[in-house]
């Protein structure tokens, strides 16, 4: 995960370099082009970036987790 300062720096460079993601990535070493464009779009819509990352959706549902634990005792 990147800090707020790292993300805003990348977005500012992206703007400075006329939306050339390759120049930003070459200078900073992060992020990938797709992520940089997502940060930029968020910045354009909101005027800033959020401080905390959005929580991820769980990979497995609670029912799937219970089934996996219950099944492991049968083996």
């Amino acid at each position: 995960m990147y800090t707020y300062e790292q993300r805003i720096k990348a977005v500012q460079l992206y703007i400075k370099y006329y939306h050339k993601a390759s120049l930003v990535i070459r200078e900073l070493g992060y992020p990938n082009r797709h992520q940089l464009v997502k940060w930029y779009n968020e910045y354009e819509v909101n005027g800033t970036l959020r401080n905390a990352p959005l929580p991820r959706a769980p990979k497995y549902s609670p029912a799937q987790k219970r089934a996996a634990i219950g099944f492991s005792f049968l083996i």
Side-chain angles (χ1 to χ4, degrees):
M1 302 302 295
Y2 298 103
T3 65
Y4 174 80
E5 291 78 16
Q6 290 173 316
R7 291 182 291 129
I8 200 74
K9 181 178 180 179
V11 169
Q12 289 170 344
L13 284 174
Y14 186 66
I15 294 167
K16 178 182 174 183
Y17 293 150
Y18 303 102
H19 303 258
K20 303 288 185 188
S22 61
L23 297 176
V24 175
I25 295 166
R26 186 177 302 135
E27 182 170 326
L28 297 177
Y30 70 91
N32 63 41
R33 185 187 72 75
H34 179 72
Q35 190 64 51
L36 179 58
V37 171
K38 284 177 63 175
W39 292 344
Y40 172 74
N41 289 336
E42 178 185 346
Y43 183 81
E44 284 294 302
V45 169
N46 301 323
T48 188
L49 298 173
R50 63 186 179 281
N51 281 328
L54 294 175
R56 285 186 166 179
K59 189 171 184 177
Y60 301 103
S61 70
Q64 289 173 317
K65 290 178 184 178
R66 283 191 300 275
I69 292 171
F71 182 72
S72 65
F73 291 120
L74 299 176
I75 295 177

